[in-house]
């Protein structure tokens, strides 16, 4: 899907998790950072100082992915002297990770109650554990300096590392243990710690004070119980009749992973990423904010009832800066919503590829307007439209820097309009840009929503003008993409997009309603069916196995599965829809209740495993947890109509 399409297979393979099938890494996060735990060994393999993979552009290398987020940890494990199997799970569908062995139990979690990248870890040995065990750490970088800081009755340690700007504060949470001194084994003196990332030493005292207040003298196990209880208070009671316990647990875990995926770092000078939502949790390779994935995640949060998180996502779209970097590719129109994705600091990343090209995805603009309209419909929050943002109040910013540039990038087609050629939902190479049905459909959806937003704002002239444009887009869409009684993915001919998984959300958006065309599209989806049992995105036109897409486009893509299940429901084919959904739910239940990007349909070096094993980015957010929640909610709504 993303960067990987431009990487040599051997490079991409190094990015993929080395775990075998059905063993997705467990992630804990609190909107300020992430930690990654291997479920098979109970070892901590990452502690990221920020909630995204790339902090900002690299001015020395503008074609790179940017400056990587600091990771402090290569491995933290507990040693009892005997190798043994480990069972690791999320505690009560939260972000608290509970690992168990015969010789003890471990806890890992990043608390939402703290406004900082803080990780709590602890190990409680069983009475039979040889010597009680100990924590062993291998840092990702050599320790440059270390000093003890006595505060609030504890001997804290402040560590600095070669090659890392941030410092790491170690706060002991258990009694001091007498151990033989070992170089760089700062964690050996206790079995319980808080690891807190500091961007500046000036934050040290305030951070320690905030942590001490949050802790309230509790031991790690009690802190974990309190955290789970606070998560339960945060949840919104679902208006859903779950088919079984697996479906309910997947809903609850999806609710939490979406929360983990949203940045809570406050905006400040040079950083404007508060509210952005990443496409996958680490170590999924799409551990960065994408406009499109974020739209599906934000809509899921809004429809669930998580108003604050949905509102924060909307504000993030309109506060992210600087944007409008690709005006030379957008008819000179300045714009607010990125044409692809963002760095962690909120600046636009127009996806510079290893070919020296960018992506231009006009569907992003329509999808952002969709989020705004859906939020307003859900919460009737007209005050949001008057909220000041980077380019002015949200309503004016949306009208002048989303709607206007979108309209500036329409083209006449027969008697109507379509969106100009772009790289669209599946992110084609810019040199291969086409007129995609999905981009025009997203424009119709977004502009329909904005017409209603204009009505809410009392701007009747804009509403009237937008509806005229929508009518022309609907006319252009039908002329360009419905040919010979069939719905096509592109205006340009070609086997790749003749039948396209992106046609399914177009139907679900209500852009195409003709029963014969809908029926024909679902029948032709059999051309995309793969051996694992689900569906891929397109019929790949790549023939060279050395090219990444050759393998990527052969795998089963879960967003397409969810989309087809929804079309089936709209057609009354509920048994088929239920079968697709149940398969995903049951597979997730065997993998910690998280949803991957894909399932293996063609085993290969890039996507190893058995048929149907999870692969790609794991776990996915908008195209995973968000798509699942939206499908279940849509199922309930359709049931209510009958």
């Amino acid at each position: 899907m993303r960067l990987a399409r431009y990487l040599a297979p051997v490079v991409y393979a190094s990015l993929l998790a080395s775990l075998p099938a059905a063993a997705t890494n467990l992630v804990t996060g609190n909107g300020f950072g992430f930690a990654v735990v291997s479920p098979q060994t109970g070892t901590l393999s990452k502690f990221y100082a920020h909630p995204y993979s790339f902090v900002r552009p690299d001015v020395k290398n503008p074609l790179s992915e940017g400056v990587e987020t600091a990771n402090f940890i290569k491995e933290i494990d507990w040693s009892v002297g005997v190798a043994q199997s480990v069972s690791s799970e999320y505690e009560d569908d939260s972000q608290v990770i509970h690992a168990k062995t015969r010789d003890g139990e471990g806890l890992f979690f990043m608390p939402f109650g703290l406004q900082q990248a803080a990780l709590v870890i602890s190990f409680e040995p069983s009475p039979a554990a040889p010597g009680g065990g100990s924590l062993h750490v291998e840092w990702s970088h050599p320790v440059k300096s270390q000093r003890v800081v006595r505060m609030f009755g504890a001997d804290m340690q402040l560590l600095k590392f070669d090659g890392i700007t941030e410092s790491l504060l170690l706060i002991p949470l258990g009694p001091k243990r007498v151990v033989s001194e070992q170089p760089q084994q700062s964690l050996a003196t206790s079995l319980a710690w808080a690891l807190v990332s500091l961007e500046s030493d000036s934050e040290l005292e305030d951070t320690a004070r905030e942590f001490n207040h949050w802790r309230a003298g509790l031991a790690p196990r009690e802190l974990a119980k309190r955290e789970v209880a606070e998560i339960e208070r945060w949840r919104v009671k679902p208006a859903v009749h779950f088919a079984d316990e697996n479906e309910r647990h997947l809903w609850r875990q999806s609710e939490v992973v979406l929360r983990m995926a949203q940045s809570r770092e406050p905006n400040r000078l040079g950083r404007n990423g508060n509210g952005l939502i990443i496409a996958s949790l680490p170590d999924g390779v799409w551990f960065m904010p994408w406009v499109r994935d974020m739209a599906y995640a934000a809509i899921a949060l809004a429809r669930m009832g998580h108003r604050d998180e949905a509102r924060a996502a909307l504000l993030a779209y309109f506060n992210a800066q600087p944007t409008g970097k690709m005006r030379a590719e957008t008819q000179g129109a300045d714009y607010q919503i990125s044409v692809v994705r963002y760095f962690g600091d909120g600046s636009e990343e127009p996806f510079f590829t290893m070919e020296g090209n960018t992506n231009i995805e006009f569907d992003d603009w329509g999808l952002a307007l969709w989020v705004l309209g859906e939020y307003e419909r859900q919460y009737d929050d007209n005050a949001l439209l008057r909220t000041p943002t980077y380019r002015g109040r949200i309503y004016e910013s949306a009208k002048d820097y989303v709607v206007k540039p979108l309209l500036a990038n329409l083209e006449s087609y027969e008697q109507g309009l379509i969106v100009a050629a772009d790289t669209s939902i599946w992110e084609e190479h810019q040199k291969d840009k086409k007129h995609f049905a999905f981009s025009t459909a997203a424009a119709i959806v977004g502009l329909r929503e904005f017409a209603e937003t204009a009505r809410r704002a009392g701007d009747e002239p804009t509403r009237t003008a937008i509806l005229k444009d929508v009518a022309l887009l609907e006319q252009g869409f039908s002329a360009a993409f419905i040919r010979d009684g069939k719905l096509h993915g592109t205006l340009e001919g070609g086997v790749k997009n003749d039948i396209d998984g992106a046609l399914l959300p177009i139907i679900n958006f209500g852009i195409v309603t003709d029963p014969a065309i809908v029926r024909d599209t679902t029948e032709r989806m059999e051309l995309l069916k793969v051996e694992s049992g689900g569906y891929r995105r397109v019929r790949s036109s790549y023939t060279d196995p050395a090219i990444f897409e050759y393998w990527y486009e052969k795998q089963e893509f879960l967003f397409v599965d969810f989309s087809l299940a929804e079309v089936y429901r709209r057609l009354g084919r509920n048994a088929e829809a239920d079968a697709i959904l149940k398969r995903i739910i049951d597979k997730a239940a065997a993998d910690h209740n998280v949803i991957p990007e894909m399932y293996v349909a063609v085993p290969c070096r890039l996507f190893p495993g058995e048929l149907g094993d999870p692969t790609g980015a794991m776990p996915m957010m908008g195209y995973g947890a968000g798509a699942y929640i939206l499908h279940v909610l849509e199922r309930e709504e359709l049931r209510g109509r009958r």
Side-chain angles (χ1 to χ4, degrees):
M1 188 164 83
R2 327 285 194 188
L3 166 67
R5 68 176 69 250
Y6 303 102
L7 297 179
V10 67
V11 177
Y12 180 68
S14 70
L15 298 175
L16 293 174
S18 59
L19 294 173
T24 304
N25 280 330
L26 299 180
V27 181
T28 182
N30 66 348
F32 287 86
F34 288 109
V36 181
V37 174
S38 165
Q40 298 158 306
T41 63
T43 58
L44 187 84
S45 62
K46 298 285 194 309
F47 176 35
Y48 291 104
H50 300 284
Y52 36 75
S53 54
F54 297 98
V55 178
R56 59 185 176 275
D58 185 350
V59 295
K60 296 180 180 178
N61 188 3
L63 297 184
S64 74
E65 288 295 283
V67 177
E68 287 191 54
T69 291
N71 165 45
F72 296 103
I73 302 298
K74 188 172 183 180
E75 183 175 89
I76 294 178
D77 64 7
W78 65 74
S79 172
V80 293
V82 179
Q84 56 185 287
S85 62
V86 177
S87 168
S88 304
E89 297 292 344
Y90 285 115
E91 192 81 5
D92 292 332
D93 310 314
S94 71
Q95 88 284 18
V96 176
I97 300 168
H98 190 181
K100 299 178 183 179
T101 73
R102 182 185 61 200
D103 291 320
E105 300 182 23
L107 288 170
F108 310 84
F109 70 97
M110 297 187 71
F112 282 105
L114 282 173
Q115 303 290 306
Q116 53 197 231
L119 169 66
V120 174
I121 62 174
S122 73
F123 172 58
E124 294 183 12
S126 68
S134 64
L135 289 176
H136 179 273
V137 61
E138 185 176 354
W139 304 110
S140 61
H141 293 69
V143 176
K144 181 168 59 177
S145 68
Q146 179 176 350
R147 65 185 176 97
V148 175
V149 182
R150 181 76 179 175
M151 285 190 292
F152 306 107
D155 287 333
M156 306 180 187
Q157 300 177 51
L158 185 66
L159 275 61
K160 295 180 180 295
F161 301 88
D162 288 338
I164 297 181
T165 303
E166 293 86 349
S167 302
L168 187 62
L169 180 64
L170 307 181
I171 305 174
L173 303 180
K176 188 171 183 178
R177 307 175 75 242
V178 178
V179 296
S180 57
E181 187 172 335
Q182 302 176 60
Q184 299 204 7
Q185 289 303 311
S186 309
L187 303 184
T189 57
S190 178
L191 289 175
W193 294 87
L195 282 61
V196 187
S197 174
L198 301 178
E199 292 190 76
S200 168
D201 287 359
S202 64
E203 302 172 356
L204 175 59
E205 187 172 347
D206 287 346
T207 298
R209 181 180 294 107
E210 180 186 353
F211 182 87
N212 190 60
H213 176 75
W214 170 83
R215 182 188 179 189
L218 297 177
R221 183 174 288 274
E222 295 306 311
L223 290 173
K225 289 180 180 178
R226 187 182 70 183
E227 185 70 19
V228 171
E230 289 176 354
I231 287 288
E232 291 302 319
R233 286 191 288 273
W234 167 81
R235 294 185 192 275
V236 175
K237 184 178 179 179
V240 171
H241 297 88
F242 295 115
D244 55 29
E245 279 299 286
N246 281 352
E247 184 172 294
R248 186 179 73 87
H249 282 298
L250 183 55
W251 175 282
R252 285 165 53 85
Q253 194 64 64
S254 296
E255 185 178 28
V256 170
V257 297
L258 286 175
R259 190 186 190 192
M260 282 195 272
Q262 184 169 43
S263 174
R264 297 166 64 219
E265 290 187 326
N267 289 341
R268 67 183 193 196
L269 183 65
R271 187 167 70 197
N272 298 279
N274 180 268
L276 292 175
I277 301 174
I278 56 178
S280 76
L281 296 186
D283 276 341
V285 293
W286 319 134
F287 163 33
M288 55 197 76
W290 294 74
V291 174
R292 184 183 305 105
D293 300 71
M294 178 171 154
Y296 282 88
I299 293 286
L301 287 165
R303 290 185 183 174
M304 291 179 88
H306 286 294
R307 177 175 180 167
D308 290 346
E309 287 74 16
R311 196 176 198 273
L314 264 173
L315 287 169
Y317 275 144
F318 290 96
N319 279 319
Q321 55 184 284
T323 53
K325 294 180 178 180
M326 303 305 297
R327 275 171 272 184
E329 304 287 343
T330 61
Q331 302 299 317
D334 195 4
Y335 58 89
Q336 172 56 28
I337 305 299
S338 171
V339 292
V340 184
R341 64 188 189 193
Y342 302 93
F343 292 103
D345 65 0
S347 58
E348 180 180 23
E349 184 183 6
F351 196 27
F352 285 96
T353 72
M354 296 187 111
E355 295 177 336
N357 289 324
T358 55
N359 275 24
I360 304 295
E361 301 167 13
F362 290 131
D363 60 299
D364 289 350
W365 297 349
L367 293 175
L369 294 173
W370 173 48
V371 177
L372 177 59
E374 283 277 349
Y375 174 87
E376 285 296 315
R377 182 180 300 103
Q378 188 79 21
Y379 299 108
D380 198 25
D381 184 7
N382 287 351
L384 177 76
L385 301 180
R386 300 188 294 272
T387 302
T389 60
Y390 169 43
R391 297 178 187 260
R393 298 189 307 173
I394 280 187
Y395 177 72
E396 285 76 17
S397 181
K399 182 173 72 171
D400 294 338
Y401 297 103
V402 187
V403 174
K404 284 184 178 178
L406 179 54
L407 296 177
N409 285 277
L410 303 182
E411 296 178 358
S412 297
Y413 189 80
E414 294 192 3
Q415 302 303 310
L417 295 169
I418 59 173
V419 171
D422 70 341
T423 54
S424 198
I425 184 173
W426 304 140
E427 294 128 359
E428 295 281 348
H429 298 280
Q430 181 67 3
K431 65 183 178 63
D432 298 326
K433 63 184 180 181
K434 300 179 181 69
H435 295 85
F436 283 92
F438 186 84
S439 292
T440 295
I444 294 170
V445 171
L447 291 173
R448 280 177 181 170
E449 294 288 354
F450 191 75
E452 178 62 16
T453 301
R455 184 196 64 78
R456 291 177 180 276
D459 186 356
E460 190 60 30
T462 295
R463 175 180 177 274
T464 301
I466 291 296
L467 289 176
K468 289 180 180 178
D469 290 321
V470 169
L472 289 171
L473 280 164
E474 290 171 338
Q475 189 170 343
F477 181 94
S478 295
F481 304 112
I482 300 176
R483 306 187 299 271
D484 302 320
K486 296 182 182 297
L487 181 60
H488 300 266
T490 56
L491 174 63
E492 296 77 7
V495 67
K496 181 171 183 176
N497 301 103
D498 179 59
I499 180 63
D500 186 333
L503 300 180
L504 301 171
I506 292 173
I507 294 170
N508 292 324
F509 277 134
I511 305 300
V512 175
T513 57
D514 184 313
I517 294 174
V518 172
R519 185 169 55 253
D520 174 78
T521 303
T522 57
E523 289 173 356
R524 288 191 294 133
M525 281 299 298
E526 290 303 303
L527 295 170
L528 298 182
K529 193 162 187 178
V530 289
E531 192 173 349
S532 54
Y535 299 83
R536 54 180 174 167
R537 305 187 312 179
V538 293
R539 287 187 288 179
S540 179
S541 57
Y542 293 99
T543 57
D544 184 354
I547 297 175
F548 171 77
E549 289 99 321
Y550 176 87
W551 301 105
Y552 184 81
E553 292 183 344
K554 291 180 181 294
Q555 310 306 324
E556 179 180 348
F557 203 71
L558 269 68
F559 179 76
V560 176
D561 292 347
F562 281 122
S563 298
L564 181 58
E566 186 172 331
V567 172
Y568 280 157
R569 291 197 191 282
R570 294 178 184 279
L571 295 173
R573 297 164 62 174
N574 291 310
E576 291 162 281
D578 288 343
I580 292 174
L581 180 62
K582 180 173 173 52
R583 174 172 171 264
I584 294 172
I585 290 170
D586 289 349
K587 288 167 76 68
D591 191 22
H592 314 291
N593 286 308
V594 297
I595 299 174
E597 179 186 23
M598 300 184 293
Y599 294 141
V600 174
V602 179
C604 59
R605 185 162 53 90
L606 291 177
F607 305 105
E610 302 296 324
L611 284 178
D613 283 347
T615 192
M618 301 181 285
M620 285 293 278
M621 297 298 99
Y623 279 5
Y628 167 68
I629 287 166
L630 290 174
H631 181 77
V632 172
L633 289 171
E634 189 66 28
R635 180 192 68 190
E636 297 301 297
E637 183 177 337
L638 290 170
R639 282 176 176 172
R641 293 177 191 170
R642 296 190 173 103

